[in-house]
Amino acid sequence: MLVMLMAACGADSAMKKGDKFFALGEYYDAAAQYKKAYTQTKSKDRPLRGQRALRMADCYRRINYTQRAIAAYNNAVRYKQADSLSMLYLAQLQLKNGNYKESERLFAALCDSLAIPASTRQAVVLPAGISDYEYQCIVGLQSAQKAPKWKAEAALSGYTVKKQDIFNSRRAEYSPMLFGEDYDQLFFTSTRNQAQGDELSGITGTKPADIFVSVKDDKGKWLKPEAAETDVNTELDEGACSFSPDGKTMYLTVCKTDPSYPRFAQIATSNRSDASWSKATVLEIAHDTLSAYAHPAVSPDGMWLYYVSNMPGSLGGYDIWRSAITTSGLGVPENLGAPINTPGDEMFPTFRPNGDLYFSSNGHPGMGGLDIYIAKPVEVTEPSSQSKSKGNSQNKNRQLSTYEIVHPGAPLNSAADDFGMTFEGLHNRGFFSSNRGDARGWDHIYSFEKAEITQTVRGWVYEQEGYELPQALVYMVGNDGTNLKLSVRGDGSFNQEVQPGVDYVFLGTCKGYLNHKEQLHPDTLLESHEYVLQFPLASITAPVLIDNIFYDYDKATLRPESTKALDELIALLNENPNVTIELSAHCDYHGSAAYNKGLAQRRAESVVNYLVDHGIAADRLSPMGYGKEKPKTVKKKLTETYPWLKEGDVLTEEFIKAIDDPEKQEICNQLNRRTEFIVLRTTYGLFDADEQPKAEPAAKPATKAAQSADDDFLF
C-alpha cells in the first residue's frame, strides 16, 4: 500500500512539474514529466492514464516528435479521452508521418461528424462562414488525397533535392540564408554542441540556437561551418536571419528567457561594420508584448519588412505580416490576408529576387507538416463603385494586387516540415531546411535546383575614374509595363531578370552625379544568358575625363578615333538636358605657356564645334584651353594602375622632373594631355528670362508603367 501511495504522489508531483514547464513553453521538459506521470499511473485507472497520455502527446506534437506524439494520441483514444481537437491533431500527425491512407480515414471521419457536404470537401475555395476547425478538417482531407499524387509525380517537378552533410550536425540546422556579392557565404541557425551556453533548452532539449556561417574557398567548395564570430550570438536563442538588399543590416529572431514567464520571440537588427556584426538590438514592431514576432524577410526593393506573428488580427495561429521600412522606424503592421494567410500557420517568408514570395504553411493543401508555397503577384481588375452604376462609362476600373498560390510538389516538399528557402541570385537554386527522415524531428539543410531558362541583366554603377557607388539607384522601365526602382549592392552592382522580346531602358542615378542611360532588348534564346551593363556616372562637382580624345600632332584637328568618345558625351548631355558644362583641354609642360594655352583653346573649341554640329545647344558649352596651367591631380583609382603614384599627387613640371625614370615621366605627361569637362549648372532651361521657373508641359509617358504614384521619375 505504501508503495502504491508513493507512486501516486510521484505521478502527481510529476504532473505539477509538467504543467509548470508547459505554461512556460518548455515542452521538452514538460513531456519528460508527463511521461513519468503516465508510467506511474495504473493501467486500470484508464481515464487518468488517458488524460496524461493526452498531455504528453501535446508536448511531443509541439517539439516535432511525430511518432511519439502519434503513439501518445492513440493511447488517449484507447482510453477514450481524446476529444475532437485531439483527433484533428492525430489526423494531421498521420499526414505528417506520410501515413496518407490512415490520415484520409481520420479526416473523412471528422468531416462526417461535422456533416460537411461532399461538394464542400472538394472545393478549391472554401465557403465563407465555416469555422477554423471545419476549415482544417477539409484542408487535411484534401491534403491526404492529393499528397500521394504529388509524391508519385516528383520526377516531373523539375526539382533536384540533396541533403548537404557539410552543413549538418547531429542536432538541428534550419533557415539557411545566402549572403555576399557572389553568394559565397551561407548563414543558418543551429543547436549543435558548438553553440554558446552550457544549459539545454527546456523547449527542445538541445542547446539554444546560434547563428553559424559557412564560406566558399577559392575553388568554390563550401567549408566547415563555424559560429558567426560576432556579438550577435549569445547564450540565448538567435536565428532565422535575413539581410537587407545592401547587405548592411541583418534581421534576426531572438528569444529572451525568463524563468517565470513564457518566452516570446522578437525580431532584432544587427549592423555590419567591416566584416563583423554588431550586438543585436530588438526592433519594436508593435506595442503588443504578448505576441510573438519572428522569421524576418526584407522585400527585394528594401522597402518592406515581412515577418510572422500571432498578434491580434491574425487569421490563424501565425500569419505573415509586413511593415514599411522608413527612416524613422517601421510602419503600421499590415496583415497580408487571404489567399496567403489561412486559419492554419503561415511562416518563414522569403523572397526570390524576381519578387516571388515563398513561405511555408500547414493551412493550405499540402503533403504534411509545413509545406513550401509560392505566392506569385497578379493583378485583377475590379470595377470601381461608381462605374458599377448604370450609365457611368467614364469611371475607370481599379487594379488590385493579389496572389496566386502555387504548390511546387515533391521532392521540394515532403510529408515532414519543409521551410526556409534561400536563392542564389536570380537562379532557381539554393538551400532550404527540412526534418524529413529524422525521427527526432530535427531539421537539416538541403540544396535544391530547378533547371530554368532565365535571362538576366547584371549592371555596375560607378564613378567615372572612381569606384562603385553603393548609394546609387537604377530605374528600369520596359514596354511590357515593367517599372522598377532597383537598389545596388555594396559593390555597386545589381541583378534583375528580364523577359525576351521586351524593350528596356535603364537609368543609373546617384546624388551628386549625372544620370547615365542604357537600353536593352533581350533576344529569344534556348539557354540562360546574362547581359552586362555598365553605368559610369560623371561627377557634378569634380572634373570628368573624356577618355580617348585624339588630335593631330601639334594641331586642333580631331582624329577619327575620337568619334566614339564624343558620341558618348553627346548621349550623356542628351540624358541630362538641364546641364551646362565647361569643356577644357590641357597640355603637358613642354613648350611655352602662351603657345600651349592657345593650342588647348583651339582643341577645346574643336570638341565644342563637334558637339554643336550634332545637336547640342551652343549656350550649354563653354570651351576653355588651360594649356599647362592645371596639371592633373591623381585620384585613388589611378594609383591601382600606377602604384608609384599616390592619391593627391599633382603632376606639375617639378613633380615630373623629380622622377628618375623617363618612362614614368612620359606617363605623367600623357596624363596631363587630356580633355575634361566640369558641370557648371544643372538648371539650364528651367527658368525664363525673368529668372522665374518655367511651367512644365503636361507629360504623356510612352507607357502606362511610367506613371507611378510612388515615383516622380518619368521616361
Side-chain angles (χ1 to χ4, degrees):
M1 177 66 72
L2 181 61
V3 173
M4 294 171 59
L5 289 173
M6 290 179 63
C9 291
D12 290 341
S13 176
M15 286 299 298
K16 290 180 180 179
K17 291 181 180 178
D19 290 343
K20 182 178 180 180
F21 287 133
F22 191 94
L24 294 174
E26 297 177 349
Y27 304 116
Y28 180 87
D29 288 346
Q33 294 299 320
Y34 291 145
K35 181 180 179 181
K36 180 179 179 181
Y38 177 82
T39 57
Q40 293 179 354
T41 304
K42 292 182 179 182
S43 299
K44 66 179 183 180
D45 197 352
R46 297 175 64 84
L48 187 59
R49 194 171 173 85
Q51 293 166 13
R52 290 174 176 175
L54 197 58
R55 296 294 281 172
M56 185 167 51
D58 283 343
C59 291
Y60 285 143
R61 174 177 59 85
R62 293 170 186 267
I63 60 176
N64 279 332
Y65 280 28
T66 302
Q67 294 178 358
R68 292 188 186 183
I70 290 174
Y73 277 120
N74 279 331
N75 282 333
V77 172
R78 182 158 59 96
Y79 292 123
K80 302 185 185 307
Q81 295 301 308
D83 56 12
S84 58
L85 185 58
S86 300
M87 295 306 298
L88 173 63
Y89 290 150
L90 178 58
Q92 291 172 336
L93 287 165
Q94 293 287 13
L95 183 70
K96 189 172 183 178
N97 208 38
N99 302 328
Y100 295 131
K101 288 186 177 180
E102 176 62 12
S103 177
E104 183 180 1
R105 183 188 70 81
L106 291 171
F107 279 121
L110 289 170
C111 289
D112 289 342
S113 69
L114 296 169
I116 298 175
S119 59
T120 303
R121 300 184 193 191
Q122 302 303 321
V124 175
V125 178
L126 298 184
I130 64 173
S131 68
D132 290 355
Y133 182 83
E134 291 174 310
Y135 179 94
Q136 296 199 52
C137 289
I138 297 170
V139 168
L141 179 62
Q142 293 181 1
S143 298
Q145 293 170 340
K146 293 180 178 181
K149 183 180 179 181
W150 280 323
K151 185 176 180 181
E153 296 176 346
L156 304 177
S157 72
Y159 283 97
T160 301
V161 170
K162 295 180 181 178
K163 190 175 182 181
Q164 297 296 313
D165 290 333
I166 184 64
F167 306 127
N168 296 319
S169 69
R170 299 181 66 183
R171 295 294 185 268
E173 290 79 30
Y174 56 94
S175 292
M177 184 58 58
L178 284 163
F179 180 72
E181 293 159 0
D182 297 317
Y183 308 100
D184 54 358
Q185 302 174 53
L186 184 71
F187 286 74
F188 60 90
T189 310
S190 179
T191 61
R192 62 186 62 196
N193 291 334
Q194 290 77 20
Q196 293 188 28
D198 298 323
E199 296 185 5
L200 299 182
S201 168
I203 302 174
T204 62
T206 63
K207 279 194 169 185
D210 272 354
I211 296 174
F212 286 75
V213 61
S214 175
V215 299
K216 281 185 179 179
D217 62 16
D218 294 339
K219 298 180 180 179
K221 181 181 178 181
W222 290 104
L223 301 179
K224 183 179 179 180
E226 297 182 356
E229 294 183 359
T230 67
D231 294 330
V232 75
N233 284 328
T234 70
E235 294 184 356
L236 306 179
D237 281 295
E238 295 88 21
C241 65
S242 66
F243 303 95
S244 59
D246 61 9
K248 295 180 180 179
T249 304
M250 174 194 292
Y251 294 83
L252 66 152
T253 307
V254 298
C255 190
K256 295 185 176 181
T257 185
D258 188 320
S260 60
Y261 199 76
R263 283 178 277 187
F264 294 96
Q266 297 173 291
I267 293 175
T269 59
S270 173
N271 296 319
R272 188 166 182 251
S273 177
D274 295 327
S276 62
W277 295 94
S278 67
K279 184 178 180 180
T281 303
V282 172
L283 185 65
E284 184 175 294
I285 295 177
H287 297 300
D288 175 11
T289 59
L290 297 178
S291 299
Y293 304 90
H295 311 165
V298 184
S299 60
D301 59 11
M303 298 177 65
W304 295 91
L305 178 67
Y306 287 68
Y307 51 90
V308 169
S309 180
N310 59 351
M311 75 175 87
S314 297
L315 303 185
Y318 287 94
D319 277 6
I320 298 176
W321 297 69
R322 73 174 188 174
S323 296
I325 300 174
T326 70
T327 55
S328 58
L330 294 181
V332 177
E334 300 178 12
N335 189 299
L336 293 194
I340 291 178
N341 291 321
T342 70
D345 292 324
E346 281 68 48
M347 311 171 82
F348 298 99
T350 189
F351 282 93
R352 189 176 173 185
N354 67 0
D356 288 346
L357 172 63
Y358 285 66
F359 66 98
S360 291
S361 171
N362 58 19
H364 293 275
M367 299 184 67
L370 292 172
D371 269 22
I372 294 169
Y373 297 85
I374 310 169
K376 292 181 175 289
V378 295
E379 284 192 350
V380 296
T381 302
E382 178 185 79
S384 67
S385 58
Q386 291 179 327
S387 63
K388 291 177 182 178
S389 61
K390 292 183 179 181
N392 188 350
S393 60
Q394 296 181 350
N395 291 293
K396 295 182 179 179
N397 296 332
R398 293 191 303 162
Q399 292 293 321
L400 302 178
S401 295
T402 184
Y403 296 92
E404 175 192 6
I405 307 301
V406 177
H407 185 279
L412 191 62
N413 286 311
S414 68
D417 292 325
D418 306 291
F419 61 97
M421 303 280 286
T422 184
F423 292 87
E424 184 184 332
L426 293 168
H427 302 287
N428 199 351
R429 64 173 180 253
F431 302 95
F432 71 106
S433 40
S434 175
N435 59 11
R436 60 185 71 182
D438 193 299
R440 299 158 298 184
W442 290 346
D443 308 301
H444 300 292
I445 293 176
Y446 290 75
S447 65
F448 73 92
E449 182 170 7
K450 183 177 182 180
E452 289 183 344
I453 297 177
T454 58
Q455 295 201 43
T456 60
V457 59
R458 178 187 289 264
W460 277 270
V461 187
Y462 55 93
E463 180 184 9
Q464 285 191 22
E465 293 188 277
Y467 293 94
E468 60 274 357
L469 294 170
Q471 66 273 33
L473 288 174
V474 177
Y475 293 86
M476 173 183 176
V477 172
N479 63 358
D480 64 340
T482 300
N483 185 16
L484 300 176
K485 183 167 63 175
L486 309 175
S487 299
V488 301
R489 296 196 290 261
D491 64 346
S493 70
F494 67 90
N495 285 81
Q496 183 63 36
E497 186 173 5
V498 293
Q499 300 300 322
V502 176
D503 292 323
Y504 292 101
V505 176
F506 295 84
L507 192 78
T509 68
C510 188
K511 186 177 181 180
Y513 297 86
L514 300 182
N515 299 334
H516 180 86
K517 183 171 68 176
E518 291 287 341
Q519 299 186 43
L520 181 68
H521 182 80
D523 296 324
T524 302
L525 302 174
L526 298 180
E527 59 183 13
S528 296
H529 183 74
E530 181 179 76
Y531 299 91
V532 177
L533 299 178
Q534 303 282 347
F535 295 84
L537 302 191
S539 173
I540 290 177
T541 59
V544 179
L545 177 68
I546 310 173
D547 212 357
N548 296 321
I549 299 293
F550 304 100
Y551 308 91
D552 286 341
Y553 178 71
D554 207 27
K555 295 181 180 179
T557 306
L558 287 166
R559 296 183 60 81
E561 54 265 39
S562 303
T563 301
K564 183 176 184 296
L566 290 172
D567 289 344
E568 290 175 354
L569 178 58
I570 291 169
L572 178 67
L573 291 170
N574 286 329
E575 292 162 11
N576 299 270
N578 302 120
V579 166
T580 65
I581 64 171
E582 176 189 277
L583 200 295
S584 60
H586 304 262
C587 302
D588 59 31
Y589 65 80
H590 293 101
S592 69
Y595 178 81
N596 281 338
K597 190 175 180 66
L599 177 62
Q601 180 67 31
R602 293 193 300 276
R603 287 179 169 178
E605 290 172 354
S606 293
V607 173
V608 166
N609 291 336
Y610 183 94
L611 301 180
V612 171
D613 290 342
H614 288 78
I616 304 300
D619 58 348
R620 295 180 63 192
L621 308 169
S622 299
M624 182 62 68
Y626 285 104
K628 59 181 179 181
E629 293 177 3
K630 291 189 175 184
K632 185 175 182 65
T633 299
V634 175
K635 292 185 177 181
K636 185 178 180 180
K637 185 70 174 179
L638 192 60
T639 64
E640 295 179 4
T641 305
Y642 306 111
W644 43 273
L645 292 173
K646 299 192 300 295
E647 182 182 11
D649 284 345
V650 181
L651 305 184
T652 62
E653 181 177 353
E654 293 75 19
F655 178 89
I656 296 173
K657 288 182 176 179
I659 300 174
D660 57 5
D661 186 334
E663 290 186 5
K664 293 180 179 178
Q665 288 183 348
E666 178 53 26
I667 289 172
C668 291
N669 285 325
Q670 290 175 1
L671 293 174
N672 272 333
R673 297 192 293 267
R674 67 198 191 278
T675 304
E676 294 177 335
F677 74 84
I678 188 169
V679 175
L680 299 177
R681 295 169 54 209
T682 59
T683 58
Y684 176 83
L686 297 181
F687 298 90
D688 59 22
D690 297 324
E691 297 298 322
Q692 297 299 315
K694 291 182 179 179
E696 294 186 9
K700 185 177 182 180
T703 65
K704 184 190 299 182
Q707 303 178 53
S708 171
D710 298 325
D711 290 317
D712 58 0
F713 180 83
L714 297 176
F715 278 113

